[in-house]
Amino acid sequence: MRILLFPLLLASIAVAQPLKQTTAGRIWLRVPAGQPPLRDLAVSSGNATPAGWEKDLETRARLTDVLFTVTWWGWREIRLSFTSPVDGQVELVLHGPWAEAEPGVTYRQEVLWDRISATGAAVGNGGFEERGDRGPQNWSVWYGDYPADDAWPLAKAAPLEGNHVGASWQDRPLGQTLAVKADQEVTVTLHAKAATLPDFTPPKRLPGDTPAHRALAKVRRGVNLGNCWEAPPPYSWGIRYTVDDIDRIAAEGFDHIRVPVAWHFNMQRKGEGWEIVPELVQDLEPVLRRALDKKMRVFLDWHHFDDLTTDPAGNRARFAACWAEIARHFKDWPAGLFFELLNEPKDALTTEVANPIYADAIAAIRKVSPERIIVVSPGSWGDIRELDKLRLPDGDDRIVTTVHCYEPFYFTHQGAPWVGLKALRGIVYPGPPATPLALPASLGGHTELATFLADYNSLPAVRNPVSAKGIRELLDLGSAWSRHFGRPLHLGEFGSHDTGDEASRDRYARDVRTLAEARGIPWTLWDWKATFGYWNPETNQPKFHSALFD
C-alpha cells in the first residue's frame, strides 16, 4: 500500500474527494520531538513500521505507522503494545488508508472506531459517547469538519456497544495524547470496521451447506500443473505434463489438480463465435481424463489473460463468449471438472471492475452447464483482503471462491526475476536468521525491502515478518468471511521459489498446510515440477512430502 508523503497531506484537503469503501485501517503512534522512540512495538494484526515517508531518520523513528485489515461486516479487534523509555507522552492517532483516485485527489475511505481502551495508560471517551463542539470529546480533529450524527459515515453506523462510534479518514484523523511512564508497557485495544458507502447493498448470505460446499468437501490437498499450458503455444516454458505425471500425483496422495491454461492463445474464431484449437484439445484432454479416472477433481483455470486485465471493457464480451464455448466443449464431462474463471485479476481489473464481468461469464456458462461448479477469485492477485469487495450472483450456490497466499512474500519469491528479486537470497524460514542478512547492493533503492530485512534480522519469531504470523492472519480473515457469507473457500496457490533452502521450504509448506487444514480450507500447492516444484524430475522423488502429508 502506498503511503502519503507528509508534505503533500495538507494540500489534498481542499479537494473534493470521491468516496471509496476501505479494506484497511490505520493508526499512528507519535512521540514528540526530544523524546526517544518507543520500543517493543507489537501489533496483534497487520504491520507496525516507522514512517517510511519521513526523510529525517529521527523523525521517522518517532512516528509508527500501523496498517491492518478491516471489514464492513464485522468489528475487528486490534491490540497495540509498546514501551516508552522515559516518562512522557504518546499521541494515538486514528487514521485511514491513503489511495489516489487521480494524481492529487485522494479517496475518502472512512474507518469506524469503538470501544478503545488501554492498560498502562488512560484513554478518554474510548466509546465516543460524549460529543464536543468539533467532534468527540477528548479527541482532537486534526483538520476538516467532523460529520454530524445524521451524515455519512455516522448515520446508520451500528456501534459495537453504546450509542455512538468514531470515524476518521486520511484527511480527518482523530488524535488523543496518552501519558506514559518509563519502562511500563502500554497495551491499547481498539475495535474498527469499514464504513459502507451511502448506496451500499450487502450481498446475500448463503447457508453453510450448499452444492458448492459439498463439491469442495471432496477435495483437500492438490497441486498446480504450472508453467505449461499457460505459456504461449507451443508451450515454450519447457514444462510438459503427461498421464505419467497424473499417476505420480495421485500416488503421492493429492486428490485434485489445478490446470492453468492460456485460453486466449488457444481459442480461434468460428463464424461469429469461438472454438478451442484442436492442438490444445489433443495435448490437454488425456491429462484431464486421467485425473478424473483417478477420482481426482480438476480445477480448469484461465491464466494470464493480460488483455482482459489491461482493458476490461474491451475484452468483456470475448471473455464471456469464450467461457460459453469452453462450457459447451466440456458439457458432458463429469461433475468433478470445475471451471475457474480467471487467475489473479490485477491492474485495471480490480475486484469491483471484475464483478459484472464475472457475472456475464457465469451467466454464459449457466446457459450451457447450470450445475457445473464455478470457481471465482477476488482481485489484486487473488488477495484474501479483497474478498469484501467480491460480489457473486446471489442465487448461485454452485460457486467456490478461491484465493492465493504467498506470505511472507520476500521469502517465497526470493530469487524470482519476474518480481525483481533475482538478487535476493538467503532468507530462512522462520526468522530471525543466525547471521543478519544484508540488503543486496543491486536492491539498494528498495526501501520496503530494507525495512523488511531490518525487522527480519531483529524481531523474535512470534513477531518476525518471516513467520506464520502473516499467513495465520490472512487465513483467519478468509475463514471468517467464508463462514459469514456461506461461501466455501479454496486456497488455490501457495508455494516458495526453489532459491530458498530446502529445510526452510519444508517448514514453510508445513505451516501453510496445517494452518489451512485447521480452518477447513482445502489447498493447491504451486507447483508440481517447475521453479516452485514439489517433484524433482531429475531424481523422480518429492522434495517435501512429509510437510504436506504427515
Side-chain angles (χ1 to χ4, degrees), residues 133-410:
D133 293 337
R134 291 198 62 233
Q137 288 185 9
N138 298 93
W139 296 92
S140 60
V141 181
W142 276 20
Y143 27 75
D145 295 323
Y146 196 76
D149 289 342
D150 59 354
W152 183 80
L154 297 179
K156 301 181 180 179
L160 175 62
E161 64 181 18
N163 299 310
H164 298 282
V165 300
S168 66
W169 71 288
Q170 172 68 37
D171 286 358
R172 199 191 62 249
L174 292 173
Q176 181 169 157
T177 300
L178 309 182
V180 294
K181 294 291 186 180
D183 300 322
Q184 179 171 309
E185 183 181 72
V186 176
T187 299
V188 181
T189 302
L190 311 95
H191 296 83
K193 70 185 300 188
T196 55
L197 300 185
D199 59 352
F200 177 79
T201 300
K204 182 179 179 181
R205 296 173 64 181
L206 300 181
D209 182 22
T210 66
H213 284 89
R214 294 191 287 274
L216 199 62
K218 299 182 184 300
V219 304
R220 187 178 178 194
R221 300 167 177 172
V223 68
N224 280 270
L225 306 191
N227 288 29
C228 179
W229 293 293
E230 76 267 34
Y235 318 121
S236 57
W237 292 347
I239 302 295
R240 305 295 301 138
Y241 293 101
T242 69
V243 295
D244 292 338
D245 288 294
I246 298 301
D247 292 345
R248 292 189 184 104
I249 289 169
E252 284 295 298
F254 293 105
D255 55 36
H256 68 287
I257 58 173
R258 181 170 178 261
V259 184
V261 178
W263 291 105
H264 45 287
F265 293 136
N266 293 284
M267 304 292 291
Q268 62 188 15
R269 281 288 187 182
K270 182 179 182 182
E272 296 183 358
W274 298 85
E275 69 174 0
I276 305 172
V277 298
E279 292 81 4
L280 176 69
V281 172
Q282 295 166 9
D283 199 48
L284 176 65
E285 284 195 357
V287 174
L288 303 184
R289 289 192 183 278
R290 185 60 153 254
L292 293 167
D293 288 345
K294 290 280 185 178
K295 307 304 180 185
M296 302 173 73
R297 268 54 183 179
V298 176
F299 288 65
L300 191 57
D301 157 57
W302 193 330
H303 226 77
H304 296 321
F305 192 8
D306 291 341
D307 287 351
L308 179 65
T309 60
T310 301
D311 179 14
N315 290 277
R316 178 174 178 171
R318 176 185 172 196
F319 183 62
C322 287
W323 265 118
E325 175 55 30
I326 297 167
R328 279 191 291 271
H329 181 87
F330 291 103
K331 179 181 178 181
D332 297 324
W333 281 53
L337 177 68
F338 303 166
F339 293 158
E340 184 173 337
L341 294 186
L342 187 70
N343 175 71
E344 295 184 344
K346 60 185 177 67
D347 301 335
L349 193 68
T350 64
T351 308
E352 297 93 331
V353 172
N355 286 329
I357 296 175
Y358 284 161
D360 287 354
I362 292 169
I365 293 170
R366 288 291 177 240
K367 290 179 181 179
V368 181
S369 296
E371 297 188 353
R372 181 74 61 186
I373 296 299
I374 296 174
V375 184
V376 178
S377 168
S380 192
W381 307 87
D383 192 335
I384 292 173
R385 289 161 290 206
E386 288 282 308
L387 285 169
D388 268 12
K389 302 175 185 177
L390 189 63
R391 295 293 179 268
L392 303 173
D394 280 342
D396 197 326
D397 58 5
R398 296 178 182 273
I399 296 177
V400 167
T401 305
T402 189
V403 291
H404 293 179
C405 181
Y406 282 104
E407 294 296 324
F409 187 81
Y410 290 121

Side-chain angles (χ1 to χ4, degrees), residues 421-489:
L421 297 177
K422 184 177 181 180
L424 181 63
R425 295 166 184 269
I427 297 179
V428 299
Y429 182 97
T435 302
L437 185 66
L439 180 69
S442 61
L443 296 170
H446 200 316
T447 55
E448 182 182 279
L449 178 57
T451 299
F452 166 86
L453 287 177
D455 288 345
Y456 165 65
N457 287 331
S458 62
L459 292 181
V462 293
R463 292 166 49 206
N464 200 281
V466 180
S467 70
K469 178 179 182 291
I471 304 166
R472 183 182 298 109
E473 289 177 13
L474 287 173
L475 294 181
D476 278 344
L477 180 65
S479 179
W481 179 90
S482 174
R483 292 193 306 272
H484 184 86
F485 290 102
R487 294 286 188 180
L489 190 68

